[in-house]
Amino acid sequence: KQWYQRRVRGGPRKDLDLIQKVFANSPLRYRTNLKALYSVHASRFQKFMTWWFTVSKVKEVKGKIVQCNSLNQLFERVSPEQLQVPQFILDFDFGAHGSMTGPDL
């Protein structure tokens, strides 16, 4: 499993090619065996750019990208024990959604 993160605070960041960077920086074996790519706390703009990228450039991953609005949604799909979520992400999610489930929470 790989973990990519963007800054959480400091205003919106319009990273036009985040998904493209993820694929470019992932080894071929990861891209070939990709089952799902989870995006958590994505802005509407980032969701749109993800959709555009998958429709126009990498059509074979379109059905593999899963948008999660909270860590709880991510933990429903991936066991929390399989992830090492940074504390500031846990804090942000708790502040935004009020409750969480997961390891040691």
Side-chain angles (χ1 to χ4, degrees), residues 11 17 29 33 37 44 54 66 86-87:
D17 56 351
R29 67 185 181 117
N33 296 314
L37 176 65
R44 283 187 215 152
T54 58
V66 179
Q87 185 61 46

Side-chain angles (χ1 to χ4, degrees), residues 2-97:
Q2 292 186 352
W3 181 268
Y4 293 92
Q5 64 190 42
R6 299 183 323 140
R7 64 184 175 167
V8 181
R9 301 189 191 282
R13 181 176 174 201
K14 295 190 179 347
D15 196 350
L16 299 177
D17 56 351
L18 176 67
I19 299 299
Q20 190 170 3
K21 288 177 186 175
V22 169
F23 282 96
N25 292 322
S26 296
L28 180 60
R29 67 185 181 117
Y30 287 122
R31 291 181 295 202
T32 304
N33 296 314
L34 181 70
K35 304 279 188 258
L37 176 65
Y38 297 95
S39 176
V40 183
H41 300 137
S43 66
R44 283 187 215 152
F45 180 79
Q46 189 60 47
K47 289 176 184 179
F48 171 76
M49 291 307 298
T50 300
W51 171 83
W52 180 83
F53 175 73
T54 58
V55 168
S56 65
K57 296 190 178 197
V58 187
K59 296 176 184 176
E60 61 271 9
V61 300
K62 184 176 185 227
K64 297 180 181 182
I65 296 180
V66 179
Q67 301 286 348
C68 299
N69 294 320
S70 69
L71 288 178
N72 280 338
Q73 289 179 352
L74 177 64
F75 293 156
E76 289 172 3
R77 294 166 174 82
V78 179
S79 171
E81 290 78 22
Q82 294 180 344
L83 302 172
Q84 294 178 352
V85 181
Q87 185 61 46
F88 77 95
I89 299 291
L90 295 170
D91 295 341
F92 174 83
D93 195 79
F94 184 77
H97 302 288

